[in-house]
Amino acid sequence: MRAHRSSVVVALAAATAVTAVAGCAAKNDGKGGGKGAVEVTATDSSCELSTKEFPAGHVRFAVQNKGSKVTEVYVYAPGDRIVTERENIGPGTSAEITAEIKAGAYEVACKPGMKGHGIRQKVTAGGKGTNAKRDPKLDAAVAAYRTYVQEQADQTLPAAQKFADAVKSGDVEAAKKAYAHSRVGWERTEPVAESFGDIDPKVDVRADGVEKGQKWTGWHKLEKSLWEEKKISGDDKKLAGQLITDLKDWQKRVAKAEITPTSMANGAKELLDEVATGKVTGEEERYSHTDLVDFQGNVEGAEKAYELLKPVVGKNDPALAKELDKQFKTIRTLLDDHRDSKSADGFASYDTVGKDDRKKLSDGVNALAEPLSKLAAAVATTK
Amino acid sequence: MTQDEGTTGDGTTAESRATTEGGTAAGDGAATRTDAPGTATQTAGGRAPSRRSLLGWGGAGLALGAVAAGGTAAALRTGGDAQPAGADATSRSAIPFRGRHQAGIASAVQDRLHFASFDVTTDDRDELIALLKEWTKAAARMTAGDPVGDGAVGALAEAPPDDTGEALGLPPSRLTLTFGIGPTLFEKDGKDRFGIKARRPDALIDLPQFPGDNLDKARSDGDLCVQACADDPQVAVHAIRNLARIGFGKVAIRWSQLGFGKTSSTTPDAQTPRNMFGFKDGTHNLAGTDTAALDKHVWVADGEAKGKESWMAGGSYLVARRIRMHIETWDRTSRKEQEDIFGRDKGEGAPVGRKHERDTPHLKSMLPTAHVRLAHPDSNGGIRILRRGYSFTDGTDGLGRLDAGLFFLAYQRDVRHGFVPLQQRLAANDALNEYIQHVGSAVFAVPPGVRNADDWWGRELFA
């Protein structure tokens, strides 16, 4: 749970980003509108640019949507990193996008209907320095990770539905049993899931994260009712329904997430940050003490991202790959020490894990997270 | 808890002291700045003083500020006897990292401490050696005032920087990093962990249980230690933080201690600091310039370090004790009793029956249980140890009492003839025991200094 820190994993077309771009454009309008800008003419089947080469620096794109569909325009740096973007450009309307662009190769994409890969044009910003072309292996890694993220969301829905149904039927024991499992997919892809700034505070906020005037909803509110109050209120039943609605929203939007190799790498590290700050301390699941299930989910998600990037990492920094292989193995072994076949979710309750064992887990997390923090550099550097 | 000796050193400047420790071995490049990764440009004269050093803390800040203002330290000092500005003149500069002995033992004591004890978590000897090499490299850079690796800024934007960055723009602040090896690295639970069990020196004993000890395992022992001393706490903390980070996966911090207000000085011309009981203590610590006394009491001699112990020639042994002080009860004790307990007066620091702090103590005038009397070399067959302790306060405990005391650090040639007999005497008789408790304890073999750019901490042990 990290409600109000935006993730580097996904530069989604989130409300904040749009506002920032709009603000910038408004300021620019005062300096003479589209004059001197790169003109982008979008239709339902084309994306024409007035020039494919322009000087690096403060660049303006004047977009005209001559198509019949609402479109959006993105400027991508190599690795599909979004430099700037603008959504919701209606048919027959124009918009202006501005960005500070360093010298190098980029792609401008128009996305009629606001979906998919878009119609892309290669452009070059002149001046010193160039952006290296991305390794196709990294494109493959990003695509595979996107698929994984979608799968996790898809698999979460039925598990969450089972949990919600138990809550709705007032069955405390059944709900308790279904609780931890319903969170696994979310935990595995947490940095991506959290990047939807409006969903995370609704589904995964803890009591201390609720802001004034905000209603506490989601998994942890229900966790408190089940373990602390040991009963299910009428409101809880409604919250269970809302949880499913919010998770469906997440499932639908996750496909639009923009993921890059470096953001995947940093996302893997962020998953370990989640473990380090919330799970190892027992704060995340303070009523149910199912922290080790989340812990494992975070580790699995991080390992997935690493495994996908490994063909490149193994080439660019073999020593780092070796260290990561070793540390992932170590942390799995550490987790295995706390498996409990009698428990509903397969792990010992975290309140039974003593101080010395928590220190060991914490040391294991540091041992893995530190080299993991070097993963982004290893995929960003071309050798 | 401390030792009070009867001799004083001369009053050479800090600059010469700084090179004394590193430079005693001829021609090994100790004092040669050119082969250090850092440059000498980051010394006091090379930069405008930062705001931090001007604000300072207490007396240290006054001294630093005075240096910046042009060396009028004496005029600004509080307290009776003005000290030469030389003692602090180099407080922004770098102390040579390399030399026959490790810096941070006999070199002039800095104002701040961050001491860390590590558990080695890897079983792989090669991995441990690789870490020690990497640590040495980072330590050489940081003591010179340089950042670790590619620095704190300027490398890839997508990746975390090599250096954590909080010492960026700060001078070297006389940072020293001193490395030690605990008994458990040689053998733990009967296991020879890294094939070095046979090389454990006889002098590196497991400390006996002393009467009154109430040791917390979580604040004791460790396979490795690093003592970071600097005039700026941020510089000391930065150093340990970066070493810990480099070590993740191979070592884990077992415990660490921050310290301030040095409680003894290796520079007899500097003011004697007061401990948390308000007393001047450690007046006659071993002087960093007294090479004869250091050779006799602190450094392991070549002739003594033979066979399995040859790797310790030029090294020393460190005892670290976290000594909790019962501040509140002490503060309710009459001044007369306080002075009787120490064997000194509170204002001047003079030994019982004497006028000035540095007057030779007349031990028989003191109570038989007086701290100074019991700790004095004359009461201990001439035993001397070199103290480098710091005061600490870690806020308050759950009962609202100040969690404060002395983080005692003592270097000696042989623990069996240094700390152990002294502490046995003190633990049995010291009137101060009513007001203190030893709550943490560790002992380390401190290898000799890093000789050149190819050398690394512990090389001879693993050779």
Side-chain angles (χ1 to χ4, degrees), chain B residues 419-433:
Chain B
F419 177 76
V420 170
L422 260 176
Q423 182 55 24
Q424 264 160 351
R425 178 176 291 265
L426 288 171
N429 304 300
D430 193 353
L432 202 50
N433 290 339

Side-chain angles (χ1 to χ4, degrees), chain B residues 160-197:
Chain B
D162 285 351
D163 187 279
T164 55
E166 75 274 27
L168 210 61
L170 296 176
S173 307
R174 295 195 300 150
L175 172 70
T176 53
L177 293 167
T178 315
F179 167 78
I181 298 165
T184 43
L185 194 76
F186 297 90
E187 182 183 1
K188 199 174 189 178
D189 305 323
K191 205 176 141 202
D192 183 359
R193 302 168 69 194
F194 299 100
I196 54 172
K197 182 180 165 185

